[in-house]
Amino acid sequence: MRASLQAITEELRRLKLAGVTSVPVADETLERLRRVVGRRAAAGAVERPAAAPAPVVAPATPAPERIREATRSGSPAAPSAAPSWTPPAVHLPPGSKAERWAALKAMVEGDPVCRSHLRPGKRVVVGVGSLDSALMFVGEAPGAEEEIQGEPFVGPAGQLLTRMIVAMGVAREEVYIGNIMNWRPGLPTAEGGEQVGNRPPTAGEMAYCLPFLRAQVEVVAPRFLVALGATAAQGLLGAGAFKTLGEVRGRWHDFGGIPLMVTYHPSYILREPTPRRKRLIWEDLLQVMERAGLPISERQRGYFLER
Ligand code: URA
């Protein structure tokens, strides 16, 4: 129950950062939450666990019925949990790109901390794509499909990302796609049940996986990076670099000397597939295409402009 309350609190924090000021809640849910809080208070357990973020709404403000299916895009991960593991020191062996990447992949897939976060039958997820790509996309974390297939961006958000890449005139296999996280951040489930929905990674989880992402950047050495959503932006720009994604998206930044464009996560469109949202992301990608010297037709320039 504590984990569920923490997940709800983190989601409310994200919504607040994204500018949401109220959320609908069923009376029945509100009543259930009141009962839980009442029981905890009676048991003297009302003090917040050390890792939990401060509530972001007044106590009377309702909580969402359940964690949204896709929580990605609007606001940075809550800097809640202190790291409970030391981030790995990644030393890549000498050799070709392919050799170094294969060694890195084996390292990540065999990493005990990554593996300890997996549910039975699920996989650690490492980036995928061309090691010679000029373009590297960075997302947040594997979701349900990704942890099954062991590949980033293969679920609904991934299929949309693939269409976005194709719209840029490039094939998915020609770019490199990675994530901040190598495992799917867990949510409590019923005994033996499948996880429903996703949660953003904690600061500690991100700090643990970041050396693996940095190593992928080192191997691929892309000319441009694209951060998809707030968690990716936070991972690459650093905690505290911004409060809302709107402050940093659509602009060039720097990641260790590599130009970094920040845009929304594809799930931002999946949640509300309006031409306006599509155009916002598309304008960011047009900037990437321009800077990368990719050909841009008049038709491409006009994608998603409302008529
Ligand atoms: N969303 C992400 O950020 N990464 C994935 O791999 C899939 C969905």
Side-chain angles (χ1 to χ4, degrees):
M1 179 53 73
R2 171 183 285 197
S4 304
L5 287 174
Q6 189 170 331
I8 290 172
T9 309
E10 292 205 5
E11 174 61 1
L12 289 173
R13 177 189 283 272
R14 281 167 63 85
L15 290 172
K16 187 182 180 200
L17 283 167
V20 175
T21 53
S22 69
V23 287
V25 63
D27 288 347
E28 187 198 332
T29 307
L30 201 52
E31 187 47 41
R32 277 211 300 264
L33 281 170
R34 280 202 187 105
R35 279 205 298 271
V36 171
V37 172
R39 272 203 304 273
R40 287 169 62 79
V46 283
E47 74 280 9
R48 203 174 299 132
V56 293
V57 289
T61 306
E65 179 70 9
R66 72 191 182 100
I67 303 299
R68 276 181 296 141
E69 175 68 24
T71 57
R72 301 166 172 136
S73 89
S75 54
S80 55
S84 35
W85 337 269
T86 310
V90 181
H91 300 294
L92 294 172
S96 67
K97 277 190 172 195
E99 288 164 343
R100 299 174 91 208
W101 185 80
L104 174 59
K105 184 170 160 72
M107 194 185 304
V108 184
E109 287 178 344
D111 183 83
V113 173
C114 291
R115 296 185 67 80
S116 73
H117 285 87
L118 301 182
R119 290 185 202 275
K122 303 300 191 285
R123 297 171 60 176
V124 172
V125 179
V126 189
V128 70
S130 166
L131 302 183
D132 297 316
S133 178
L135 213 50
M136 179 164 169
F137 290 86
V138 178
E140 178 175 313
E145 285 300 324
E146 289 79 17
E147 68 169 357
I148 292 172
Q149 296 189 38
E151 181 171 330
F153 281 102
V154 289
Q159 286 156 23
L160 178 55
L161 175 63
T162 302
R163 292 205 296 279
M164 284 157 50
I165 293 167
V166 170
M168 295 170 78
V170 186
R172 176 179 164 110
E173 302 69 40
E174 289 179 294
V175 304
Y176 191 89
I177 304 174
N179 274 320
I180 297 291
M181 293 298 301
N182 301 102
W183 67 79
R184 181 183 184 192
L187 281 169
T189 59
E191 185 91 25
E194 283 295 322
Q195 177 170 328
V196 176
N198 299 302
R199 69 160 170 86
T202 64
E205 288 173 325
M206 289 170 67
Y208 189 83
C209 290
L210 266 168
F212 294 136
L213 182 69
R214 285 181 183 279
Q216 290 171 84
V217 174
E218 187 186 329
V219 172
V220 178
R223 285 174 54 221
F224 304 100
L225 284 157
V226 181
L228 301 164
T231 299
Q234 191 183 46
L236 296 175
L237 293 175
F242 60 96
K243 285 207 172 69
T244 64
L245 190 62
E247 291 168 32
V248 288
R249 81 124 283 259
R251 297 215 312 271
W252 287 104
H253 304 267
D254 177 85
F255 180 77
I258 303 173
L260 162 68
M261 171 56 67
V262 174
T263 190
Y264 293 106
H265 192 279
S267 61
Y268 176 69
I269 291 181
L270 289 182
R271 280 203 295 280
E272 206 184 301
T274 59
R276 186 182 159 272
R277 287 192 172 195
K278 292 178 187 171
R279 181 69 196 178
L280 284 176
I281 297 193
W282 184 243
E283 282 175 1
D284 301 342
L285 296 181
L286 280 174
Q287 288 198 59
V288 175
M289 291 169 72
E290 262 160 19
R291 194 149 172 187
L294 290 169
I296 309 178
S297 67
E298 276 316 299
R299 190 156 169 261
Q300 281 171 309
R301 282 201 189 280
Y303 281 170
F304 313 117
L305 279 176
E306 284 177 280
R307 268 154 243 139

